[in-house]
Amino acid sequence: MQFNRTKLTDDELVFIYRSLVLPRMIEEKMLVLLRQGKISKWFSGIGQEAIAVGSTLALQKDEWIMPLHRNLGVFTTRQMGLEKLFKQWQGNKDGYSKGRERSFHFGSKPHYICGMISHLGPQLALADGVALAYKLKKENKVSLAYSGDGGTSEGDFHEALNVAAVWELPVIFVIENNGYGLSTPVNEQYRCESLVDKAKGYGMEGIRIDGNNILEVYDTIRGVRDYCINHQKPYLIECMTFRMRGHEEASGTKYVPKELFEEWGKKDPVKNYEQFLISEGIISEMQVAETRNEFRDYIETELKAAFEAEAIIPDSEEELRDVYAKKSMVDSQRSIVNIEDTQATIHHSPFTIHEKRFIDALQDGLRQSMEQHENLILMGQDIAEYGGAFKITEGFVDQFGKDRVRNTPLCESAIVGTALGLSLENYKSVMEMQFADFVSVGFNQIVNNLAKIHYRWGQNADVVIRMPTGGGVGAGPFHSQSNEAWFTHVPGLKVVYPSNPQDAKGLLTAAINDPNPVMFFEHKALYRSVTGMVPNEYYETPIGKAIITKAGTDISIITYGAGVHWALAFQEQHPEISLHILDLRTLLPLDFEAIRNAVATTGKVLILHEDTLTGGIGGEISALISEHCFELLDAPIIRCASLDTPVPFNIELEKNFMADSRLADSIKKLMTY
Ligand SMILES: Cc1ncc(C[n+]2csc(CCOP(=O)(O)OP(=O)(O)O)c2C)c(N)n1
């Protein structure tokens, strides 16, 4: 192995050596502990340390890195104390994830390290988001993300590289090509000759280097960092290396030909570099031994402290509390007018009120939020000059510029990931799904990355995803779905679903002010068909509070979105029946107190939603009522929902599909019970 010391001083070369030896020695100790049954699982990076260490050393300490499961060297090179790291791996409360995450699936904001999710590829788009923040702030910084050879086959790899190229983001993508993805050799993983060839396809530069040569890695990445900053472009680096142990320790290496271990054993990154330093007279054999002794003592001391840590005593309240981020002190002290019941408030207030359509109220809320928050970025397909599929962002580019109102390539997963990356750098973002149906291709980022990140390692996801949803417009199975219940099942998300213009504006501003990920459902059929009196001023409608749309005495209808209008229309046609209509407005968290009060008001409950019956939120509400309000009921709870089929295109079929077509029967059933 040829080492080129370039202009590095002896001290710098020794510092690099120490950075390389530490993770190797930690791992050697871990393997002993594993054999002794003192730790449960370990993903080894032995043989690959030069990549993590070299690339971390090449970056500034405040540049974000997105490491994976073999990148211990990132954590040690960023000087994370061993005691806390050991506690993390033991699942201890004082680790980086309070015992909630395993191995390397954790991050630390003070160290600018982003915790991976098991799905690997999604990390790459987070690097795009961070790099976008650097670019917008005009900071001379890069972000760096890793992928294995296996991970390059994921759609997320493609999407992240494409977005970085199209948006000219300073991201360094590092592939660690170690020959295998679990047991799958590279010839069953891809067909191009070299993974770096993919760079050309995205219109970016790339290079393939020896990933076992620490000086080559360090020097290349330093140069690439300058390139990315100066040219404001991404770069792909393929580091050739080898995994000297099994995928994880329990899975063995039977499928790897022995010759490969011999061949790559000779290329060991630590031994070779050590030999180079000794042969150049930069360190002596004795200094090598001293370094190893020093680290051995350090590891043993920190390990002892970690093993002495107290065991976790589970506290359910704390567990639940940590699922969501709290508003910052600054945010919660901002004096935003909070309007719970706009209709009541506007008649007794100094507000200037105008009649507005649902869509105009949304636009109003979005525009005022952009004015309020300089750090708010909008992203979505066709949202810039074109104004979005529903024209909600029409004129925004002229007012706020293209940096903040961003057309995206067609890649929902990467854009949700980019939104989360922006959040790491304290930006807010609103992403527009062109249609709620397309969220399925960004699903993983939402439910696994955005939703879980605060619980896992205390980082918030300040992201709103706007979801034009619902049917009734003859748009067929993929432009009409009600998929809110996919998300109400996911702790960490908030799910908001306004039914009228006043709430649409107030809830949207509240969602943007909320530091948590909010799925914001907007019913397309209401956009231009519903109007209401909307204050011109900037205000919030509180998330998590239902409202009585109409008080009544016979039957309580618990509903939201289009259901509110169906219930109101029924009431108008049937003055002989007195409906008590509760508009939930937020589906996660549910306003249980309001639900209980609605049950108590009439004793007869009908839960109405456009979503299909089985697995809809109605089932959850029904369970809550029967479990906690049984004594208040005078009749069985009835659910009125859409047919358990995809949403059909033909307008007659669609009418038949819709819950509304069965509403009269459901009400009759309850009235006559
Ligand atoms: C989406 C997804 N599919 C499958 C897995 C299971 N899995 C974990 S690591 C791995 C292999 C990854 O190979 P590679 O990207 O080459 O990284 P390496 O482990 O070699 O460092 C697989 C299949 C996963 N974590 N995520």
Side-chain angles (χ1 to χ4, degrees), residues 43 48 68-70 116-122 147-152 154 176-184 189 243 247 444:
F43 291 87
Q48 302 184 208
L68 296 178
H69 50 294
R70 298 194 202 288
M116 68 179 286
I117 63 169
S118 293
H119 307 66
L120 312 166
S147 170
D149 41 278
T152 63
E154 293 189 61
E176 296 188 66
N177 191 340
N178 64 7
Y180 288 85
L182 213 160
S183 75
T184 306
Q189 195 69 250
R243 199 189 66 200
H247 168 66
N444 182 47

Side-chain angles (χ1 to χ4, degrees), residues 355-368 386-394 396 432 434 466 468-469 498-506 508 520-532 534 565:
E355 182 155 9
K356 284 201 166 105
R357 296 178 303 174
F358 195 101
I359 194 163
D360 301 324
L362 275 176
Q363 189 179 62
D364 221 24
L366 201 54
R367 180 178 285 115
Q368 288 179 357
Y386 186 69
F390 299 98
K391 304 289 172 207
I392 287 174
T393 49
E394 193 152 52
F396 277 43
E432 176 176 299
Q434 201 155 65
R466 292 190 31 242
T469 190
S499 73
N500 61 59
Q502 304 89 329
D503 290 349
K505 176 174 173 181
L508 184 58
F520 191 89
F521 285 83
E522 309 163 0
H523 200 300
K524 304 189 293 283
L526 303 184
Y527 274 160
R528 292 178 168 81
S529 67
V530 172
T531 58
V534 182
H565 300 280

Side-chain angles (χ1 to χ4, degrees), residues 146-390:
Y146 301 95
S147 170
D149 41 278
T152 63
S153 300
E154 293 189 61
D156 277 308
F157 177 87
H158 162 74
E159 290 194 12
L161 267 69
N162 188 52
V163 169
V166 174
W167 285 1
E168 302 189 323
L169 304 175
V171 187
I172 303 176
F173 295 105
V174 177
I175 301 172
E176 296 188 66
N177 191 340
N178 64 7
Y180 288 85
L182 213 160
S183 75
T184 306
V186 288
N187 63 2
E188 293 181 38
Q189 195 69 250
Y190 56 85
R191 268 290 163 272
C192 47
E193 208 167 293
S194 154
L195 282 170
V196 78
D197 293 346
K198 294 188 183 232
K200 207 173 168 55
Y202 298 111
M204 69 171 78
E205 298 291 325
I207 189 170
R208 186 187 221 194
I209 60 170
D210 178 357
N212 281 21
N213 183 327
I214 181 79
L215 295 188
E216 190 170 333
V217 173
Y218 175 68
D219 192 48
T220 304
I221 296 190
R222 267 170 47 121
V224 166
R225 179 179 176 275
D226 287 346
Y227 167 92
C228 293
I229 289 172
N230 293 335
H231 292 81
Q232 285 296 293
K233 282 192 174 163
Y235 203 101
L236 181 65
I237 303 174
E238 181 181 13
C239 297
M240 303 310 291
T241 185
F242 191 69
R243 199 189 66 200
M244 294 300 285
R245 313 226 23 119
H247 168 66
E248 48 89 29
E249 282 309 313
S251 62
T253 52
K254 265 194 194 146
Y255 49 86
V256 183
K258 288 214 169 35
E259 314 82 75
L260 282 178
F261 287 113
E262 280 161 30
E263 185 191 325
W264 282 92
K266 289 183 197 140
K267 299 184 198 166
D268 183 272
V270 181
K271 276 193 218 140
N272 275 282
Y273 186 55
E274 199 173 89
Q275 276 312 311
F276 161 72
L277 295 182
I278 292 170
S279 66
E280 292 287 310
I282 297 163
I283 52 168
S284 63
E285 303 264 3
M286 203 158 88
Q287 281 168 307
V288 166
E290 276 168 13
T291 304
R292 287 186 175 262
N293 284 339
E294 177 195 330
F295 284 158
R296 194 166 297 118
D297 288 349
Y298 173 46
I299 291 168
E300 291 299 338
T301 314
E302 302 280 302
L303 199 54
K304 188 163 176 286
F307 273 129
E308 282 166 4
E310 283 171 31
I312 284 190
I313 302 167
D315 172 353
S316 299
E317 265 178 36
E318 186 184 347
E319 293 305 294
L320 289 168
R321 201 168 49 235
D322 282 356
V323 172
Y324 293 98
K326 287 194 195 65
K327 269 193 182 175
S328 68
M329 285 293 275
V330 182
D331 272 349
S332 36
Q333 279 164 2
R334 275 152 38 104
S335 53
I336 304 161
V337 187
N338 210 312
I339 305 181
E340 230 172 273
D341 181 351
T342 318
Q343 286 304 353
T345 313
I346 58 180
H347 294 124
H348 314 280
S349 75
F351 284 127
T352 36
I353 314 293
H354 274 105
E355 182 155 9
K356 284 201 166 105
R357 296 178 303 174
F358 195 101
I359 194 163
D360 301 324
L362 275 176
Q363 189 179 62
D364 221 24
L366 201 54
R367 180 178 285 115
Q368 288 179 357
S369 296
M370 286 291 275
E371 287 162 356
Q372 289 284 328
H373 302 285
E374 276 180 12
N375 63 339
L376 174 60
I377 307 296
L378 307 184
M379 297 183 285
Q381 286 150 29
D382 311 294
I383 67 161
E385 291 82 358
Y386 186 69
F390 299 98

